[in-house]
Amino acid sequence: MLGAMRSTEPRQLPGASATTARLATYRWGLALVGVTAVWGATFVMVRDAVAAIPPFAFIAYRFLAAAALLAVLRPRTLARPRRGVLVAGVVAGVALFAGYGFQTVGLQYTTASNAGFITGLAVVLTPLLAAALLRERPGLGPAVGAALAFAGLALLSLQTLEVRRGDALVFGCAVAFAAHILLLGRFAPRYPSYQLAVVQLGTVGVLSLGWAAVTGDLAAPSGTQVWLALAVTAVLASAAGFLVQTRAQREVSPTNTAVILTMEPVFAGLFGFLLAGERLQARGWAGACCILAGMLVAELARPSKLPGRADEAFE
């Protein structure tokens, strides 16, 4: 009887797992695009806010508020952290803090266009570091996509070939962001996304708060503009944004993640036009098209992989 009952159970069709994996990857890839849209949309808001409050103080308040928000929303999820998640979250958080730190300091000694381009080098550094340190080859599609995105960033951001001392600091930012993407690619499939995201955010907040205190830049937020920027970036850009990125990197490879994240300056240009009247020249639009093409090539040419726990959202 048991054998007969088993024979009536539906069997999974060949290729169904691969199809499910590909759909999960596309779904979370689109979620990452949404995150980059939020980051790009808040660029003007953050730029105006850090003119009124020291940057590291702003980063500290933003990330601490984001970590606190996630902790309050799901306290039971954090009550029993999985073994190893604290170390993993702190390591990823240190890389993320280093990225923001190098970028913030480097911007004082170079142009915004140079900083934008050099930060975008993470799209090239990610597959290179993956190959060198993790012995992981990105594959032809993601490699071509990264190259297209790199060319697009050059067209969109690079105005001159002049090298400034801040460029080296911003290059450190690109290395740190590439390392963060790789670390999430390694940790995200192993640990609960929610716990990992909260520890990351808290680590960045604490380190930024300490840096601001040591350098004498710790200041209380004041003014409607600063408070609005903190609220929007804490809730949407940090709490939601990094939670989605952490979960998405269970399905999306580090190289593809890096390519997708190059859409941030594209969205920054779009929302800069809509919100602040800033205009892209023809060269900028060509760069934006290259970045979009690179993202599509990297995604469509990606080989399928079996999903780990693709049906889970944020455990």
Coordinates of all heavy atoms in Angstrom, one line a residue, residues 45 47-48 52 60 87 90 92 168 183 199 204 208 214 234 247-248 255-257 262 282 309-311:
M45 N 20.0 63.6 -1.8 CA 19.6 63.9 -0.5 C 20.8 63.7 0.5 O 21.0 64.6 1.4 CB 18.5 62.9 -0.1 CG 17.9 63.0 1.3 SD 16.6 61.8 1.6 CE 15.3 62.4 0.5
R47 N 24.0 63.9 -0.3 CA 25.0 64.9 -0.6 C 24.6 66.2 0.1 O 25.5 66.9 0.7 CB 25.0 65.2 -2.1 CG 26.1 66.2 -2.6 CD 25.8 66.6 -4.0 NE 24.5 67.2 -4.2 CZ 24.0 67.5 -5.4 NH1 24.7 67.1 -6.5 NH2 22.8 68.1 -5.5
D48 N 23.4 66.6 0.1 CA 22.9 67.8 0.8 C 23.0 67.7 2.3 O 23.3 68.7 3.0 CB 21.5 68.2 0.4 CG 21.4 68.6 -1.1 OD1 22.5 68.9 -1.7 OD2 20.3 68.5 -1.7
A52 N 25.7 69.5 5.9 CA 25.2 70.1 7.2 C 25.6 69.4 8.4 O 25.5 69.9 9.5 CB 23.7 70.3 7.2
A60 N 27.1 57.0 10.9 CA 26.8 56.3 12.2 C 25.4 56.3 12.5 O 24.8 55.2 12.8 CB 27.7 57.0 13.3
V87 N 30.5 36.6 13.9 CA 31.8 36.8 13.3 C 31.7 37.1 11.8 O 32.3 38.1 11.3 CB 32.7 35.5 13.4 CG1 34.0 35.7 12.7 CG2 33.0 35.2 14.9
V90 N 30.3 40.7 11.4 CA 31.3 41.7 11.8 C 32.4 41.9 10.7 O 32.8 43.0 10.3 CB 32.0 41.4 13.1 CG1 33.2 42.3 13.3 CG2 31.0 41.6 14.3
A92 N 32.0 41.1 7.4 CA 31.4 41.8 6.3 C 31.2 43.3 6.6 O 31.3 44.2 5.8 CB 30.1 41.1 5.9
A168 N 43.8 57.3 -4.7 CA 44.3 56.1 -4.1 C 43.4 55.7 -2.9 O 43.1 54.5 -2.7 CB 45.7 56.3 -3.6
L183 N 32.5 38.6 0.3 CA 32.2 38.1 1.6 C 30.7 37.7 1.8 O 30.4 36.6 2.3 CB 32.6 39.1 2.7 CG 34.1 39.3 2.9 CD1 34.3 40.5 3.8 CD2 34.7 38.0 3.6
V199 N 23.8 42.4 12.0 CA 25.1 42.5 12.5 C 26.0 43.4 11.6 O 26.8 44.2 12.1 CB 25.8 41.1 12.6 CG1 27.2 41.2 13.1 CG2 25.0 40.2 13.6
V204 N 28.9 48.6 11.1 CA 29.2 49.9 10.4 C 28.8 51.0 11.3 O 29.6 52.0 11.4 CB 28.4 49.9 9.0 CG1 28.7 51.3 8.4 CG2 28.9 48.8 8.1
S208 N 31.6 53.7 12.7 CA 31.5 55.1 12.2 C 31.3 56.0 13.4 O 31.9 57.1 13.4 CB 30.3 55.2 11.3 OG 30.4 54.4 10.2
V214 N 36.5 60.0 17.7 CA 38.0 60.1 17.7 C 38.4 61.4 17.0 O 39.3 62.1 17.4 CB 38.7 58.9 17.2 CG1 40.2 59.1 17.0 CG2 38.5 57.7 18.1
A234 N 18.0 55.5 6.4 CA 18.1 54.4 7.4 C 17.0 53.3 7.1 O 17.4 52.1 7.2 CB 17.8 55.0 8.8
R247 N 20.1 38.9 1.3 CA 19.3 37.7 0.8 C 19.6 37.4 -0.7 O 19.7 36.2 -1.1 CB 17.9 38.0 1.1 CG 16.9 36.9 0.6 CD 17.3 35.5 1.2 NE 16.5 34.5 0.6 CZ 16.8 33.8 -0.5 NH1 17.9 34.1 -1.2 NH2 16.0 32.8 -0.9
A248 N 19.7 38.4 -1.5 CA 19.9 38.2 -2.9 C 21.1 37.5 -3.2 O 21.2 36.7 -4.2 CB 19.8 39.6 -3.6
T255 N 30.1 38.4 -9.0 CA 30.4 39.1 -10.2 C 29.1 39.8 -10.8 O 29.1 41.0 -11.1 CB 31.0 38.3 -11.3 OG1 32.3 37.8 -10.8 CG2 31.3 39.1 -12.6
N256 N 28.0 39.0 -10.8 CA 26.7 39.6 -11.3 C 26.2 40.7 -10.4 O 25.6 41.6 -10.8 CB 25.7 38.5 -11.5 CG 25.9 37.6 -12.7 OD1 27.1 37.5 -13.1 ND2 24.9 37.1 -13.3
T257 N 26.4 40.5 -9.1 CA 26.0 41.5 -8.1 C 26.8 42.8 -8.3 O 26.2 43.9 -8.4 CB 26.3 41.0 -6.7 OG1 25.5 39.8 -6.4 CG2 25.9 42.1 -5.6
T262 N 26.4 48.5 -10.5 CA 26.9 49.7 -11.3 C 25.8 50.5 -11.8 O 26.0 51.6 -12.4 CB 27.8 49.2 -12.5 OG1 27.0 48.3 -13.3 CG2 29.0 48.5 -12.0
A282 N 25.4 63.5 -23.8 CA 25.3 62.3 -24.7 C 26.3 61.2 -24.2 O 25.9 60.0 -24.2 CB 25.6 62.7 -26.1
R309 N 18.0 27.6 -0.7 CA 16.7 27.7 -0.1 C 16.0 28.9 -0.7 O 15.7 29.9 -0.1 CB 16.8 27.9 1.4 CG 17.3 26.6 2.1 CD 17.4 26.8 3.6 NE 18.6 27.7 3.9 CZ 18.9 28.1 5.2 NH1 18.1 27.7 6.2 NH2 19.9 28.8 5.4
A310 N 15.8 28.8 -2.0 CA 15.3 29.9 -2.8 C 13.9 30.4 -2.4 O 13.5 31.5 -2.6 CB 15.3 29.6 -4.3
D311 N 13.1 29.5 -1.8 CA 11.8 29.8 -1.5 C 11.7 30.6 -0.2 O 10.6 31.2 0.1 CB 10.9 28.6 -1.3 CG 10.7 27.9 -2.7 OD1 10.8 28.6 -3.7 OD2 10.5 26.7 -2.7

